[in-house]
Amino acid sequence: LPPPRHTIHPHHPHQPGGPHPTEYISVIPIHSTPANAPQVATVAADGTYTYWHQPGDHNGSAPPRVASTVTLLNTHGPVTTTSLAVTSTSSGGKQGRNKNGNAQSGRSTAERGAGKNRRGGGNSGRRNGGTNEKGIDPHSKHSPSGLNGSISSTLLEEFRSSKNRSWTTEDIKGHIVEFCQDQNGSRFIQQRLEVADPVEKNAIVSEVLPSVRRLRNDVFGNYVVQKLLDHGTPDMKASLKDTLAGEMLALSLQMYGCRVVQKALETLDDDDLPSLLAEFHQHVLSCIHDQNGNHVMQKCIEVMSVKAKAAHDNGEIQREIFCSGQIQFIIDDVMGNVAGLSCHPYGCRVLQRILEHCADPQKTAALDEISRCHRTLLDDQYGNYVIQHVLQFGRHSDRESILSIVVESGLLSLSRQKFASNVVEKLLKYGTPEQRNAVVREMLKVVDEDGLGEHAGGTSVVILMVRDAYANYVVQTTLDVVAEGTERRLLLKELNAHSAQLRNYTFAKHIMTKLSS
C-alpha cells in the first residue's frame, strides 16, 4: 500500500511580543499508529486519527504555557472557518482554562484538543463546527467517532442507556450544553424546565447562556432555548433578549434560529420588542423571500396585531396605535409589492397573515392593493390563496368584484381549473345568499358541450361541471351552502333529471349521494 499522504505544516516558534503560534488538529489516513506518534485523541473506523501538534518542538518536549489558536484540517484543507482559542499546558494534566473561562483539570493538552472538536468541522452530520467545553476522555469505553461523527461523553451514554434511573438536573451538572444537543437530553431538559423551581432553572441557564449562540441554531438545542423563553423568569428572559440584540436578521434566516426568534416575539415583554423589530428595517423583502425568514415576518405581523387588538378591546387606544405602528414598516414594504408577493410561495403567506390579523386601516390598505390584481391572482397557483383570504376576511365590495370576474370569465371555465375552482368554492362559502344564488343561475345556463357559449340544444353548465375532476367539488359545495329557494329547487331538479346519466361518471358519485340523502 502506498504511504499515507500528509502535508506537514511548519511550526513557527513563538517570539516574545509577537503573534501567538498556530496549532493544528490534523486528520491523517493511517494503517497503524506509529510508535512515535503524538498523543492520539481520536481513532475513527475509516482509518483516520486526530492528534494535536503542541507549540514547542515536535519531539515531545513540554511546551511553554501560551495562548494559541487551533485550526481544524482534513486532507482537503481547512474544514472550519472559525478558530478555537485554547490554552496550552504540559501533558501532565495541569489545570488550564477553556475558551469560556471554566477550569479544566486532570487532562492533557491532547485530550482538550479532542474535546474542542466534539462535533467535528466537516460538512457532514447535523451540525458543523460544534465544540465541547468539557472535553472527551480518550480512555473512556465509549470511543469517540471522529471528526465527522457525534462524540458523546460517558455521562450522556449512561443517560441514554439508563431506562429505570430517575435523573435530575443536578446529575448532569457541567454537561447541560452537551445534553441540549442530544435528542433525548434536550427532551429531558425541556421537561425539567416545565416543572423546575427558580433554583433549578438558574442552574440550567448558567450553562446554557455562555453557549446560547450555538444552541439557538442547533437541531435539538433550539428547543431548550425556546422552553427557557416560555418558562424562564423575567431576568432569564432579559438575558436571552440581550443575546438576540444585533442578531435578529441573521437568526431569522437560519433553519432553527428562526424558531427561537418567533418564540421570542411571542414571549418577550411588549417594551422589549421595538428594538428587536427595528433590526428588520430595510430587510423585509429579503426575509419574505427566504424559506426561514418568511415565518418570522408572519409572526411579527401576527404577534403585534394580536397585541393591538387586545389593547383596543381594553380601551387602550395609545397602546393599540403603538403596537400596530411597530409593524407598519413591514406593511409598507409589502404594499409596494403586492402583485409579485401574492404570486410567491412565501409572499402569499405574509399577505394572508395581514388579512387575518392586521388592524382595519392596515387590512383596508392591503385589500385595496390586492383589488388591482384580482383577475390575475384568481387562477395563480399561489395568488389563489390570497384571493381566498380576501373572500373570507375582505369586504362585500371585494366579493362582488370577484363574483363579477367569475361571471365574465365563465363559471364552467374557472371551475375546471385546479386553482380557480378553490376560489369559486370560497365565494360560495363566504358570499351572501344573493351572491350564492347568482352562481347557481350561472350553473343553470345551457351551453354547448365545450361550454363555449349558450346553446338552446346543449347541456346545462352544472351537468358539465359534475363530470369534471375539479368542477364537481364546486357543485358539492353549492349543495352544502345554498339555502332553500327558487335557485336551489331548480338546481336539484336539473340534477335529478340527469341522475341516470350521472351514475356513469366517477366524479358524480358524491353528488348522487347528496341527492339521495
Side-chain angles (χ1 to χ4, degrees):
L1 294 173
R5 293 178 298 165
H6 177 222
T7 301
I8 302 297
H9 300 276
H11 172 68
H12 303 287
H14 178 60
Q15 300 297 327
H20 294 303
T22 297
E23 301 171 16
Y24 294 94
I25 293 178
S26 305
V27 180
I28 302 178
I30 62 170
H31 304 289
S32 62
T33 304
N36 61 347
Q39 293 170 296
V40 175
T42 300
V43 179
D46 62 355
T48 64
Y49 71 84
T50 304
Y51 70 89
W52 195 25
H53 281 304
Q54 302 178 10
D57 72 51
H58 292 277
N59 297 321
S61 60
R65 182 180 297 181
V66 293
S68 58
T69 300
V70 173
T71 302
L72 304 181
L73 300 174
N74 65 13
T75 55
H76 303 292
V79 294
T80 61
T81 56
T82 303
S83 296
L84 307 174
V86 300
T87 300
S88 301
T89 64
S90 69
S91 59
K94 294 182 181 179
Q95 186 177 32
R97 299 190 72 82
N98 65 15
K99 65 177 180 177
N100 289 329
N102 298 320
Q104 302 180 118
S105 59
R107 294 183 290 109
S108 69
T109 51
E111 293 169 19
R112 278 202 298 281
K116 286 290 180 180
N117 190 31
R118 175 173 174 267
R119 292 294 174 183
N123 289 326
S124 62
R126 60 182 175 85
R127 284 181 296 277
N128 299 328
T131 61
N132 178 13
E133 292 85 350
K134 297 297 176 182
I136 301 300
D137 179 5
H139 305 295
S140 168
K141 64 180 179 179
H142 304 286
S143 299
S145 60
L147 283 176
N148 290 328
S150 174
I151 305 176
S152 302
S153 69
T154 304
L155 182 64
L156 182 55
E157 292 294 344
E158 182 182 350
F159 174 82
R160 290 170 177 164
S161 60
S162 299
K163 303 298 182 183
N164 299 322
R165 177 178 170 181
S166 179
W167 288 76
T168 67
T169 305
E170 185 66 25
D171 294 329
I172 64 171
K173 186 175 182 180
H175 294 265
I176 286 176
V177 171
E178 180 184 12
F179 271 60
C180 287
Q181 295 175 105
D182 175 78
Q183 183 176 14
N184 295 321
S186 173
R187 185 181 295 115
F188 167 70
I189 295 173
Q190 292 174 60
Q191 291 170 345
R192 292 305 311 161
L193 285 170
E194 292 176 355
V195 298
D197 58 24
V199 174
E200 186 176 359
K201 290 177 181 177
N202 278 321
I204 296 173
V205 169
S206 65
E207 294 190 41
V208 168
L209 271 180
S211 301
V212 71
R213 285 175 172 80
R214 171 156 38 107
L215 296 178
R216 288 182 313 205
N217 199 41
D218 182 89
V219 63
F220 302 124
N222 80 89
Y223 293 109
V224 174
V225 180
Q226 290 185 59
K227 195 66 72 171
L228 281 170
L229 287 165
D230 266 331
H231 298 280
T233 64
D235 288 342
M236 294 175 190
K237 291 183 179 182
S239 297
L240 290 170
K241 181 258 181 183
D242 290 341
T243 68
L244 295 172
E247 301 184 33
M248 289 289 283
L249 178 61
L251 271 177
S252 297
L253 303 181
Q254 295 173 354
M255 179 181 294
Y256 304 114
C258 74
R259 303 178 186 181
V260 173
V261 171
Q262 292 174 71
K263 181 61 70 173
L265 293 171
E266 290 177 344
T267 57
L268 293 178
D269 291 340
D270 294 359
D271 295 335
D272 290 332
L273 296 180
S275 61
L276 298 178
L277 290 171
E279 297 183 26
F280 295 116
H281 280 274
Q282 310 302 320
H283 302 290
V284 171
L285 294 181
S286 60
C287 284
I288 291 176
H289 285 93
D290 182 79
Q291 63 178 339
N292 302 312
N294 80 88
H295 295 290
V296 175
M297 292 296 100
Q298 292 180 62
K299 186 62 68 173
C300 290
I301 292 167
E302 177 185 344
V303 168
M304 298 312 296
S305 296
V306 168
K307 291 179 183 294
K309 288 183 178 179
H312 175 80
D313 293 341
N314 294 329
E316 302 175 59
I317 304 304
Q318 292 304 314
R319 191 91 183 146
E320 176 189 5
I321 295 172
F322 169 79
C323 292
S324 294
Q326 296 306 309
I327 56 169
Q328 188 59 47
F329 71 98
I330 299 177
I331 307 300
D332 291 341
D333 284 0
V334 171
M335 290 306 97
N337 299 271
V338 164
L341 291 176
S342 295
C343 297
H344 189 273
Y346 307 143
C348 71
R349 301 174 184 174
V350 175
L351 277 156
Q352 290 173 65
R353 300 297 88 75
I354 290 174
L355 296 175
E356 287 175 6
H357 299 293
C358 278
D360 287 341
Q362 294 169 332
K363 183 191 294 187
T364 298
L367 290 169
D368 287 342
E369 288 297 323
I370 295 170
S371 67
R372 302 175 189 274
C373 45
H374 279 172
R375 192 179 298 272
T376 303
L377 302 181
L378 194 141
D379 61 350
D380 181 80
Q381 63 175 328
Y382 301 116
N384 81 90
Y385 295 109
V386 175
I387 298 299
Q388 289 183 56
H389 264 60
V390 169
L391 291 167
Q392 182 174 355
F393 298 100
R395 305 159 296 194
H396 178 76
S397 60
D398 297 309
R399 298 184 187 95
E400 284 291 316
S401 170
I402 294 168
L403 174 61
S404 66
I405 294 172
V406 169
V407 172
E408 292 170 11
S409 301
L411 174 65
L412 178 60
S413 174
L414 292 178
S415 296
R416 282 173 166 173
Q417 296 179 29
K418 179 178 181 179
F419 305 116
S421 64
N422 294 324
V423 173
V424 179
E425 285 190 67
K426 275 295 197 302
L427 175 60
L428 287 162
K429 184 174 181 179
Y430 295 106
T432 64
E434 292 77 13
Q435 292 167 341
R436 292 170 181 166
N437 288 334
V439 173
V440 173
R441 287 193 291 272
E442 292 297 310
M443 291 182 177
L444 295 172
K445 288 182 177 179
V446 177
V447 297
D448 59 31
E449 283 292 326
D450 295 326
L452 299 178
E454 292 191 44
H455 191 281
T459 306
S460 63
V461 169
V462 69
I463 299 302
L464 297 176
M465 291 174 68
V466 169
R467 302 174 186 175
D468 186 79
Y470 299 118
N472 82 90
Y473 289 105
V474 176
V475 178
Q476 292 183 51
T477 302
T478 303
L479 294 173
D480 290 336
V481 302
V482 173
E484 290 295 337
T486 303
E487 283 78 5
R488 182 179 179 86
R489 287 194 299 273
L490 291 173
L491 181 63
L492 292 174
K493 180 180 178 181
E494 179 69 11
L495 290 170
N496 283 314
H498 295 80
S499 59
Q501 173 190 351
L502 295 179
R503 288 191 179 92
N504 297 322
Y505 294 98
T506 302
F507 304 120
K509 62 180 180 180
H510 295 297
I511 295 171
M512 297 308 300
T513 301
K514 288 180 181 293
L515 290 176
S516 61
S517 62

